[in-house]
Amino acid sequence: MATQSAAVHTAEAEKARAREIAALKAGKTAAMANLIDESESELAELFILPGGEAQSEEASIDIVPEQADEFTCASCFMVRHRTQLVREAGGQKFCAECEG
């Protein structure tokens, strides 16, 4: 009889503990759902990954128009030298890599 009483007491204690843990988790998530730490978001914006570029720096790229001895492939849209021209159909030009 003592064994049954101890088993029932242990099972009830485990159920009560599980209810307490569930209540704590529910309260914690509800309390933290509307909490936004603005200092962390500001810090994240200032953080630069290794090898990354700083946000204040701008890339400088010179764009050169297509030259007379070049064409734009209608398949891959890469600008190629005229020696790469393999096929021209309907005013569209195709390079050796796309046709090969």
Side-chain angles (χ1 to χ4, degrees):
M1 182 114 172
T3 329
Q4 290 177 351
S5 174
V8 171
H9 180 66
T10 305
E12 288 181 19
E14 288 178 8
K15 288 180 183 177
R17 183 164 171 80
R19 283 191 296 265
E20 289 177 16
I21 291 172
L24 288 172
K25 285 182 179 179
K28 184 177 180 180
T29 56
M32 296 184 80
N34 296 327
L35 180 65
I36 298 173
D37 188 0
E38 292 182 14
S39 64
E40 286 185 10
S41 63
E42 291 173 4
L43 181 63
E45 290 175 3
L46 298 175
F47 186 73
I48 300 172
L49 293 173
E53 295 182 14
Q55 293 177 349
S56 61
E57 296 178 11
E58 293 184 17
S60 175
I61 300 173
D62 294 330
I63 299 175
V64 180
E66 187 177 299
Q67 302 298 311
D69 61 345
E70 296 176 332
F71 71 98
T72 302
C73 178
S75 180
C76 66
F77 304 105
M78 296 285 295
V79 176
R80 305 285 185 168
H81 190 263
R82 63 180 162 84
T83 58
Q84 293 287 314
L85 180 63
V86 174
R87 180 173 66 98
E88 186 173 357
Q92 296 182 334
K93 301 175 182 177
F94 298 91
C95 70
E97 288 185 26
C98 292
E99 291 294 310

